[in-house]
Amino acid sequence: MGTTQLETVPEPKYWHLRTVLSEALDSEFSVGEILPNERDLAARFGVARATLRQALEQLELEGRLQRRRGVGTTVAPPRMGVSVGTAQHAWPGGPLDAWQTLDCALETPPATVAETLVTGRDEPVHTVRRSRVSHGQPVAAELLYVPADSVPGLSGIDAPSGAARARAVLRELQHLELERQENAVELGSARADDARELDRLPGAPVLVVTTRFIARGRTAALSVATYRADTCRLTFGDSGGVQIHHGPEQQAS
Amino acid sequence: MGTTQLETVPEPKYWHLRTVLSEALDSEFSVGEILPNERDLAARFGVARATLRQALEQLELEGRLQRRRGVGTTVAPPRMGVSVGTAQHAWPGGPLDAWQTLDCALETPPATVAETLVTGRDEPVHTVRRSRVSHGQPVAAELLYVPADSVPGLSGIDAPSGAARARAVLRELQHLELERQENAVELGSARADDARELDRLPGAPVLVVTTRFIARGRTAALSVATYRADTCRLTFGDSGGVQIHHGPEQQAS
DNA sequence: CAGTGGTCTAGACCACAAG
DNA sequence: TTGTGGTCTAGACCACTGA
């Protein structure tokens, strides 16, 4: 007795900690500011470092914090809005395209992709790699799968790979009449190569945007784009390009 | 010497484990099957339980596994496609609406919401709670904020809250001419109340879909819907309602 | 009740960035 | 070299489910 029992339904420590830190971020820190290191913070709150880290992971997932090994933990800016599916009814590589073409290869796509493209199994397709940068920061990495018969005019003279070839593939695509496109978004984790390109560790949470480009009743191209989930807010079907989302997030305890 | 050094760039154990388990799931398990418990699995792979759990968390994030306290870990079915922003150019509560109306209250919205609705601060708005069920499973919880002047015909006779009131609010909304709607998707973590409704623990990853309904040049209503990120794949702008996504995910090591 | 996943601890060492 | 976050361990106890 004498000990006041406030927690009738004891909330996990890390969850409570997340709330406390979240409020501290709103009131006492400004964007870009660095937090005390994890060992100090854990000691200050009287918890083990693992528990403190659980709270930080939550906040990072919500885009409130940014952590970098060897550097520290900083307060993240509000997520940036990146528009997806504007360029509605437009092929990739068009004039209003936010992507930068990297290179191209002739590869056998993963089974999931081959299934969506009606092409036969083990049929190699043009695989264009592109990346998207916004506000000086990489936000997405894309693989664009284009079956050979979607770009019949493609000259066989050029090398089968490289940046020039990639641009040629995109150029040929514009000749097709685009019926419509279908988008899907799901949560994924960054593969090692995507992670490197996005400046994150493998396994980092990403939003995977899959776009089917449909022409002549068939899937003429398939794009699989992985966006950094911590820094991006995907906007659909509205006007205009990149916008900054303003104000604090709505997720709170 | 004598020890063969295969790992020149040693991959983290949990990441390697994730890959091994992922492949095992593809080849040796079928949907719904239960895995050995965490202690056994950890022992079998010769790692600490915390490490094994890190791998399982990844796979759960990717929608490959489902874990339930007191029960066990099971192989998850492929994510279901839930269509968002079909009912494009349609108010919530319309005939083709996939949502179930729960109740309604007159509340002061969070600052972020009040900012988007042009309504003044501390101005209470109609707050309609709805839920979305798909394949017998709750997939999303929604809060729909409707400023009072968007539903001028709303009778003041009824009680200011309850399910009947909620339906009345939605009915009145249909009278406005909808100009367009804007969608945004971002990653979040489930608040305690959302988590309960989605049958998950607090902090579970969710996809937050924010929809602005615009009429007469103003934001006439704002919807904030949180979807289970582990089980859902959001589809945009295509035809048709709910579809099952087929085949394994594309994320692999 | 027994068995499951969820939380938490107090350490240790590693990989990386920057001075 | 120093200090950071990232990984890993071997335990402990708790909350929940279902028999």
Side-chain angles (χ1 to χ4, degrees), chain B residues 204-228:
Chain B
V206 291
L207 296 172
V208 181
V209 179
T210 308
T211 306
R212 282 178 62 195
F213 294 93
I214 299 175
R216 302 192 314 250
R218 294 175 47 255
T219 302
L222 181 69
S223 155
V224 179
T226 68
Y227 288 79
R228 283 185 59 151

Side-chain angles (χ1 to χ4, degrees), chain B residues 28-44:
Chain B
E28 297 165 36
F29 288 87
S30 49
V31 169
E33 200 167 344
I34 67 175
L35 270 62
N37 72 52
E38 296 182 349
R39 292 163 178 87
D40 284 355
L41 274 180
R44 182 176 313 186

Side-chain angles (χ1 to χ4, degrees), chain A residues 73-97:
Chain A
T73 302
T74 60
V75 180
R79 286 196 176 121
M80 51 187 150
V82 298
S83 98
V84 176
T86 308
Q88 197 91 25
H89 304 276
W91 287 104
L96 291 175
D97 200 325

Side-chain angles (χ1 to χ4, degrees), chain A residues 9 21 24 26 28 30 65 111 115 121 129 147 151 159 183 189 201 209 220 222 230 238 245 247:
Chain A
V9 178
L21 287 170
D26 286 334
E28 297 166 34
S30 50
L65 292 179
E115 196 171 305
R121 309 210 158 273
R129 283 202 317 126
V151 284
N183 292 292
S189 45
L201 292 175
V209 180
L222 181 71
D230 54 344
D238 56 13
H245 173 230

Side-chain angles (χ1 to χ4, degrees), chain A residues 7 40 52 60 63 174 204 209 222 250:
Chain A
E7 308 250 22
D40 285 355
L52 185 269
E60 192 180 30
Q174 318 289 328
V209 180
L222 181 71
Q250 103 296 347

Side-chain angles (χ1 to χ4, degrees), chain A residues 85-107:
Chain A
T86 308
Q88 197 91 25
H89 304 276
W91 287 104
L96 291 175
D97 200 325
W99 294 86
Q100 182 180 355
T101 307
L102 295 181
D103 59 13
C104 174
L106 203 57
E107 288 173 356

Side-chain angles (χ1 to χ4, degrees), chain A residues 222-234:
Chain A
L222 181 71
S223 155
V224 179
T226 70
Y227 288 79
R228 283 185 59 153
D230 54 344
T231 59
C232 291
R233 186 165 175 276
L234 307 183

